[in-house]
Amino acid sequence: MAEKRKRKIDDECRQFQEEWSLKYFFIKSGEKTLSAICNETVAVMKEYNLRRHLQSKHQEKYVQLEGKVRSENFSKLQNQLIPQRTLFSKSSNEMNP
């Protein structure tokens, strides 16, 4: 009997698409996708997972935004994440000289 090889997510070579940033309020952080709204990551980098996260957790406030208002909100959230990320990397570098 032939043994079936289990499909691994790592073998699929999923890559973050830049269009997902504005569409689903996600940014790429290292090898993970990070929600610009709540700083949560998604287990598998698939468009369906990003859309589901936005619709299930941020339905009321962000799903209905369109056009310039949407891009302004995304830019604001993204700019708030940058200082947080640099603060964490700076403190970890100070602890491990």
Side-chain angles (χ1 to χ4, degrees), residues 2-30:
E3 187 176 324
K4 284 189 177 181
R5 186 174 159 227
K6 235 180 167 180
R7 189 179 89 173
K8 291 186 180 181
I9 294 169
D10 295 338
D11 294 341
E12 295 181 11
C13 299
R14 299 197 184 273
Q15 293 186 354
F16 184 78
Q17 307 294 317
E18 289 300 321
E19 66 188 39
W20 296 346
S21 293
L22 186 57
K23 200 171 182 181
Y24 303 114
F25 289 90
F26 271 85
I27 61 169
K28 185 173 181 178
S29 178

mmCIF file of all heavy atoms in Angstrom, residues 2-30:
data_model
loop_
_atom_site.group_PDB
_atom_site.id
_atom_site.type_symbol
_atom_site.label_atom_id
_atom_site.label_comp_id
_atom_site.label_asym_id
_atom_site.label_seq_id
_atom_site.Cartn_x
_atom_site.Cartn_y
_atom_site.Cartn_z
ATOM 1 N N ALA A 2 0.640 2.152 -0.902
ATOM 2 C CA ALA A 2 1.451 3.365 -1.016
ATOM 3 C C ALA A 2 1.130 4.319 0.132
ATOM 4 O O ALA A 2 -0.031 4.519 0.492
ATOM 5 C CB ALA A 2 1.186 4.038 -2.342
ATOM 6 N N GLU A 3 2.177 4.878 0.674
ATOM 7 C CA GLU A 3 2.016 5.811 1.791
ATOM 8 C C GLU A 3 1.799 7.216 1.231
ATOM 9 O O GLU A 3 2.558 7.693 0.401
ATOM 10 C CB GLU A 3 3.278 5.792 2.649
ATOM 11 C CG GLU A 3 3.130 6.605 3.901
ATOM 12 C CD GLU A 3 4.361 6.498 4.784
ATOM 13 O OE1 GLU A 3 4.956 5.406 4.835
ATOM 14 O OE2 GLU A 3 4.712 7.503 5.391
ATOM 15 N N LYS A 4 0.727 7.879 1.688
ATOM 16 C CA LYS A 4 0.445 9.235 1.235
ATOM 17 C C LYS A 4 1.279 10.224 2.043
ATOM 18 O O LYS A 4 1.385 10.097 3.256
ATOM 19 C CB LYS A 4 -1.038 9.577 1.420
ATOM 20 C CG LYS A 4 -1.923 8.954 0.401
ATOM 21 C CD LYS A 4 -3.311 9.501 0.528
ATOM 22 C CE LYS A 4 -4.202 8.947 -0.544
ATOM 23 N NZ LYS A 4 -5.538 9.482 -0.445
ATOM 24 N N ARG A 5 1.851 11.153 1.344
ATOM 25 C CA ARG A 5 2.640 12.190 2.005
ATOM 26 C C ARG A 5 1.708 13.309 2.426
ATOM 27 O O ARG A 5 0.907 13.802 1.628
ATOM 28 C CB ARG A 5 3.693 12.727 1.041
ATOM 29 C CG ARG A 5 4.616 13.680 1.696
ATOM 30 C CD ARG A 5 5.734 14.083 0.749
ATOM 31 N NE ARG A 5 6.248 15.326 1.259
ATOM 32 C CZ ARG A 5 6.494 16.395 0.546
ATOM 33 N NH1 ARG A 5 6.314 16.374 -0.743
ATOM 34 N NH2 ARG A 5 6.943 17.486 1.094
ATOM 35 N N LYS A 6 1.803 13.711 3.673
ATOM 36 C CA LYS A 6 0.971 14.780 4.182
ATOM 37 C C LYS A 6 1.405 16.110 3.580
ATOM 38 O O LYS A 6 2.589 16.388 3.463
ATOM 39 C CB LYS A 6 1.114 14.861 5.702
ATOM 40 C CG LYS A 6 -0.174 14.784 6.428
ATOM 41 C CD LYS A 6 0.043 14.867 7.903
ATOM 42 C CE LYS A 6 -1.274 15.094 8.565
ATOM 43 N NZ LYS A 6 -1.175 15.190 9.989
ATOM 44 N N ARG A 7 0.457 16.910 3.194
ATOM 45 C CA ARG A 7 0.742 18.221 2.629
ATOM 46 C C ARG A 7 1.184 19.164 3.734
ATOM 47 O O ARG A 7 0.550 19.261 4.775
ATOM 48 C CB ARG A 7 -0.504 18.769 1.955
ATOM 49 C CG ARG A 7 -0.251 20.027 1.169
ATOM 50 C CD ARG A 7 -1.508 20.472 0.528
ATOM 51 N NE ARG A 7 -2.185 21.335 1.487
ATOM 52 C CZ ARG A 7 -3.278 22.023 1.236
ATOM 53 N NH1 ARG A 7 -3.867 21.916 0.089
ATOM 54 N NH2 ARG A 7 -3.820 22.792 2.134
ATOM 55 N N LYS A 8 2.263 19.867 3.510
ATOM 56 C CA LYS A 8 2.761 20.815 4.500
ATOM 57 C C LYS A 8 2.542 22.233 3.996
ATOM 58 O O LYS A 8 2.737 22.521 2.817
ATOM 59 C CB LYS A 8 4.251 20.593 4.758
ATOM 60 C CG LYS A 8 4.534 19.303 5.463
ATOM 61 C CD LYS A 8 5.981 19.211 5.823
ATOM 62 C CE LYS A 8 6.249 17.906 6.544
ATOM 63 N NZ LYS A 8 7.644 17.785 6.938
ATOM 64 N N ILE A 9 2.166 23.101 4.896
ATOM 65 C CA ILE A 9 1.915 24.487 4.548
ATOM 66 C C ILE A 9 3.196 25.151 4.060
ATOM 67 O O ILE A 9 3.193 25.947 3.129
ATOM 68 C CB ILE A 9 1.323 25.240 5.758
ATOM 69 C CG1 ILE A 9 -0.053 24.679 6.070
ATOM 70 C CG2 ILE A 9 1.244 26.722 5.492
ATOM 71 C CD1 ILE A 9 -0.639 25.131 7.366
ATOM 72 N N ASP A 10 4.333 24.799 4.669
ATOM 73 C CA ASP A 10 5.608 25.395 4.273
ATOM 74 C C ASP A 10 5.959 25.075 2.829
ATOM 75 O O ASP A 10 6.670 25.841 2.170
ATOM 76 C CB ASP A 10 6.730 24.910 5.189
ATOM 77 C CG ASP A 10 6.547 25.395 6.625
ATOM 78 O OD1 ASP A 10 5.842 26.406 6.803
ATOM 79 O OD2 ASP A 10 7.106 24.770 7.536
ATOM 80 N N ASP A 11 5.488 23.965 2.311
ATOM 81 C CA ASP A 11 5.782 23.572 0.936
ATOM 82 C C ASP A 11 5.027 24.417 -0.096
ATOM 83 O O ASP A 11 5.339 24.385 -1.271
ATOM 84 C CB ASP A 11 5.427 22.100 0.713
ATOM 85 C CG ASP A 11 6.302 21.169 1.526
ATOM 86 O OD1 ASP A 11 7.386 21.610 1.966
ATOM 87 O OD2 ASP A 11 5.898 20.017 1.732
ATOM 88 N N GLU A 12 4.027 25.139 0.343
ATOM 89 C CA GLU A 12 3.194 25.890 -0.584
ATOM 90 C C GLU A 12 3.786 27.233 -0.980
ATOM 91 O O GLU A 12 3.291 27.885 -1.882
ATOM 92 C CB GLU A 12 1.795 26.082 0.009
ATOM 93 C CG GLU A 12 1.062 24.767 0.173
ATOM 94 C CD GLU A 12 -0.327 24.928 0.734
ATOM 95 O OE1 GLU A 12 -0.820 26.073 0.806
ATOM 96 O OE2 GLU A 12 -0.925 23.917 1.108
ATOM 97 N N CYS A 13 4.817 27.692 -0.279
ATOM 98 C CA CYS A 13 5.523 28.931 -0.618
ATOM 99 C C CYS A 13 4.571 30.119 -0.734
ATOM 100 O O CYS A 13 4.595 30.856 -1.717
ATOM 101 C CB CYS A 13 6.326 28.775 -1.899
ATOM 102 S SG CYS A 13 7.571 27.504 -1.782
ATOM 103 N N ARG A 14 3.736 30.294 0.225
ATOM 104 C CA ARG A 14 2.800 31.419 0.208
ATOM 105 C C ARG A 14 3.556 32.715 0.451
ATOM 106 O O ARG A 14 4.416 32.789 1.308
ATOM 107 C CB ARG A 14 1.725 31.242 1.254
ATOM 108 C CG ARG A 14 0.905 29.999 1.021
ATOM 109 C CD ARG A 14 -0.386 30.052 1.788
ATOM 110 N NE ARG A 14 -1.111 28.823 1.628
ATOM 111 C CZ ARG A 14 -1.950 28.579 0.635
ATOM 112 N NH1 ARG A 14 -2.146 29.472 -0.286
ATOM 113 N NH2 ARG A 14 -2.592 27.435 0.558
ATOM 114 N N GLN A 15 3.193 33.746 -0.306
ATOM 115 C CA GLN A 15 3.841 35.039 -0.171
ATOM 116 C C GLN A 15 2.794 36.109 0.057
ATOM 117 O O GLN A 15 1.681 36.040 -0.472
ATOM 118 C CB GLN A 15 4.654 35.369 -1.409
ATOM 119 C CG GLN A 15 5.839 34.462 -1.578
ATOM 120 C CD GLN A 15 6.709 34.920 -2.729
ATOM 121 O OE1 GLN A 15 6.383 35.841 -3.463
ATOM 122 N NE2 GLN A 15 7.837 34.262 -2.890
ATOM 123 N N PHE A 16 3.173 37.107 0.833
ATOM 124 C CA PHE A 16 2.294 38.229 1.126
ATOM 125 C C PHE A 16 2.135 39.083 -0.121
ATOM 126 O O PHE A 16 3.111 39.438 -0.773
ATOM 127 C CB PHE A 16 2.886 39.060 2.266
ATOM 128 C CG PHE A 16 2.003 40.182 2.713
ATOM 129 C CD1 PHE A 16 0.914 39.933 3.523
ATOM 130 C CD2 PHE A 16 2.263 41.480 2.330
ATOM 131 C CE1 PHE A 16 0.097 40.962 3.942
ATOM 132 C CE2 PHE A 16 1.453 42.518 2.744
ATOM 133 C CZ PHE A 16 0.368 42.257 3.552
ATOM 134 N N GLN A 17 0.909 39.390 -0.471
ATOM 135 C CA GLN A 17 0.612 40.253 -1.612
ATOM 136 C C GLN A 17 0.386 41.675 -1.096
ATOM 137 O O GLN A 17 -0.388 41.874 -0.168
ATOM 138 C CB GLN A 17 -0.642 39.766 -2.343
ATOM 139 C CG GLN A 17 -0.608 38.311 -2.753
ATOM 140 C CD GLN A 17 0.452 38.050 -3.794
ATOM 141 O OE1 GLN A 17 0.593 38.824 -4.725
ATOM 142 N NE2 GLN A 17 1.180 36.964 -3.638
ATOM 143 N N GLU A 18 1.056 42.649 -1.695
ATOM 144 C CA GLU A 18 0.954 44.039 -1.241
ATOM 145 C C GLU A 18 -0.491 44.565 -1.263
ATOM 146 O O GLU A 18 -0.845 45.410 -0.444
ATOM 147 C CB GLU A 18 1.855 44.944 -2.078
ATOM 148 C CG GLU A 18 3.324 44.722 -1.804
ATOM 149 C CD GLU A 18 3.728 44.973 -0.353
ATOM 150 O OE1 GLU A 18 3.222 45.925 0.259
ATOM 151 O OE2 GLU A 18 4.536 44.190 0.165
ATOM 152 N N GLU A 19 -1.310 44.075 -2.171
ATOM 153 C CA GLU A 19 -2.704 44.528 -2.253
ATOM 154 C C GLU A 19 -3.499 44.155 -0.997
ATOM 155 O O GLU A 19 -4.509 44.772 -0.690
ATOM 156 C CB GLU A 19 -3.382 43.963 -3.492
ATOM 157 C CG GLU A 19 -3.534 42.454 -3.461
ATOM 158 C CD GLU A 19 -4.021 41.875 -4.772
ATOM 159 O OE1 GLU A 19 -3.595 42.343 -5.828
ATOM 160 O OE2 GLU A 19 -4.846 40.948 -4.708
ATOM 161 N N TRP A 20 -3.044 43.134 -0.262
ATOM 162 C CA TRP A 20 -3.738 42.722 0.957
ATOM 163 C C TRP A 20 -3.607 43.767 2.063
ATOM 164 O O TRP A 20 -4.433 43.811 2.966
ATOM 165 C CB TRP A 20 -3.209 41.386 1.457
ATOM 166 C CG TRP A 20 -3.457 40.237 0.531
ATOM 167 C CD1 TRP A 20 -4.312 40.199 -0.542
ATOM 168 C CD2 TRP A 20 -2.847 38.955 0.589
ATOM 169 N NE1 TRP A 20 -4.263 38.971 -1.143
ATOM 170 C CE2 TRP A 20 -3.371 38.184 -0.475
ATOM 171 C CE3 TRP A 20 -1.912 38.380 1.431
ATOM 172 C CZ2 TRP A 20 -2.988 36.870 -0.704
ATOM 173 C CZ3 TRP A 20 -1.530 37.068 1.192
ATOM 174 C CH2 TRP A 20 -2.066 36.322 0.149
ATOM 175 N N SER A 21 -2.595 44.597 2.002
ATOM 176 C CA SER A 21 -2.390 45.603 3.040
ATOM 177 C C SER A 21 -3.607 46.496 3.178
ATOM 178 O O SER A 21 -4.228 46.569 4.237
ATOM 179 C CB SER A 21 -1.161 46.456 2.737
ATOM 180 O OG SER A 21 -0.006 45.703 2.812
ATOM 181 N N LEU A 22 -3.947 47.180 2.136
ATOM 182 C CA LEU A 22 -5.071 48.107 2.174
ATOM 183 C C LEU A 22 -6.416 47.375 2.182
ATOM 184 O O LEU A 22 -7.364 47.810 2.825
ATOM 185 C CB LEU A 22 -5.007 49.057 0.979
ATOM 186 C CG LEU A 22 -6.021 50.182 0.950
ATOM 187 C CD1 LEU A 22 -5.916 51.032 2.211
ATOM 188 C CD2 LEU A 22 -5.823 51.048 -0.273
ATOM 189 N N LYS A 23 -6.459 46.248 1.512
ATOM 190 C CA LYS A 23 -7.709 45.499 1.402
ATOM 191 C C LYS A 23 -8.149 44.889 2.736
ATOM 192 O O LYS A 23 -9.324 44.891 3.068
ATOM 193 C CB LYS A 23 -7.519 44.398 0.359
ATOM 194 C CG LYS A 23 -8.772 43.849 -0.226
ATOM 195 C CD LYS A 23 -8.422 42.921 -1.392
ATOM 196 C CE LYS A 23 -9.645 42.379 -2.052
ATOM 197 N NZ LYS A 23 -9.314 41.478 -3.162
ATOM 198 N N TYR A 24 -7.175 44.362 3.502
ATOM 199 C CA TYR A 24 -7.513 43.654 4.743
ATOM 200 C C TYR A 24 -6.826 44.212 5.985
ATOM 201 O O TYR A 24 -6.910 43.620 7.056
ATOM 202 C CB TYR A 24 -7.147 42.162 4.606
ATOM 203 C CG TYR A 24 -7.822 41.515 3.430
ATOM 204 C CD1 TYR A 24 -7.065 41.047 2.356
ATOM 205 C CD2 TYR A 24 -9.198 41.390 3.360
ATOM 206 C CE1 TYR A 24 -7.667 40.462 1.262
ATOM 207 C CE2 TYR A 24 -9.811 40.819 2.267
ATOM 208 C CZ TYR A 24 -9.042 40.355 1.225
ATOM 209 O OH TYR A 24 -9.655 39.779 0.147
ATOM 210 N N PHE A 25 -6.126 45.338 5.867
ATOM 211 C CA PHE A 25 -5.429 45.984 6.984
ATOM 212 C C PHE A 25 -4.371 45.072 7.605
ATOM 213 O O PHE A 25 -4.257 44.971 8.824
ATOM 214 C CB PHE A 25 -6.422 46.440 8.061
ATOM 215 C CG PHE A 25 -7.273 47.605 7.637
ATOM 216 C CD1 PHE A 25 -8.479 47.420 7.014
ATOM 217 C CD2 PHE A 25 -6.851 48.903 7.873
ATOM 218 C CE1 PHE A 25 -9.271 48.486 6.616
ATOM 219 C CE2 PHE A 25 -7.631 49.986 7.487
ATOM 220 C CZ PHE A 25 -8.841 49.782 6.857
ATOM 221 N N PHE A 26 -3.586 44.422 6.779
ATOM 222 C CA PHE A 26 -2.500 43.568 7.251
ATOM 223 C C PHE A 26 -1.180 44.083 6.693
ATOM 224 O O PHE A 26 -1.137 44.646 5.603
ATOM 225 C CB PHE A 26 -2.695 42.115 6.796
ATOM 226 C CG PHE A 26 -3.494 41.300 7.767
ATOM 227 C CD1 PHE A 26 -4.874 41.318 7.726
ATOM 228 C CD2 PHE A 26 -2.866 40.525 8.720
ATOM 229 C CE1 PHE A 26 -5.616 40.571 8.613
ATOM 230 C CE2 PHE A 26 -3.602 39.775 9.619
ATOM 231 C CZ PHE A 26 -4.976 39.798 9.573
ATOM 232 N N ILE A 27 -0.110 43.877 7.459
ATOM 233 C CA ILE A 27 1.226 44.196 6.990
ATOM 234 C C ILE A 27 2.098 42.965 7.154
ATOM 235 O O ILE A 27 1.783 42.064 7.930
ATOM 236 C CB ILE A 27 1.848 45.390 7.751
ATOM 237 C CG1 ILE A 27 1.982 45.087 9.242
ATOM 238 C CG2 ILE A 27 1.067 46.662 7.519
ATOM 239 C CD1 ILE A 27 2.820 46.090 9.992
ATOM 240 N N LYS A 28 3.192 42.944 6.427
ATOM 241 C CA LYS A 28 4.131 41.833 6.559
ATOM 242 C C LYS A 28 5.158 42.210 7.612
ATOM 243 O O LYS A 28 5.758 43.269 7.564
ATOM 244 C CB LYS A 28 4.818 41.543 5.233
ATOM 245 C CG LYS A 28 5.704 40.340 5.315
ATOM 246 C CD LYS A 28 6.256 39.944 3.993
ATOM 247 C CE LYS A 28 7.111 38.712 4.220
ATOM 248 N NZ LYS A 28 7.666 38.189 3.023
ATOM 249 N N SER A 29 5.326 41.337 8.581
ATOM 250 C CA SER A 29 6.286 41.552 9.650
ATOM 251 C C SER A 29 7.182 40.331 9.724
ATOM 252 O O SER A 29 6.791 39.300 10.282
ATOM 253 C CB SER A 29 5.548 41.770 10.975
ATOM 254 O OG SER A 29 6.455 41.929 12.033
ATOM 255 N N GLY A 30 8.344 40.422 9.134
ATOM 256 C CA GLY A 30 9.226 39.259 9.067
ATOM 257 C C GLY A 30 8.617 38.226 8.141
ATOM 258 O O GLY A 30 8.327 38.494 6.991
#
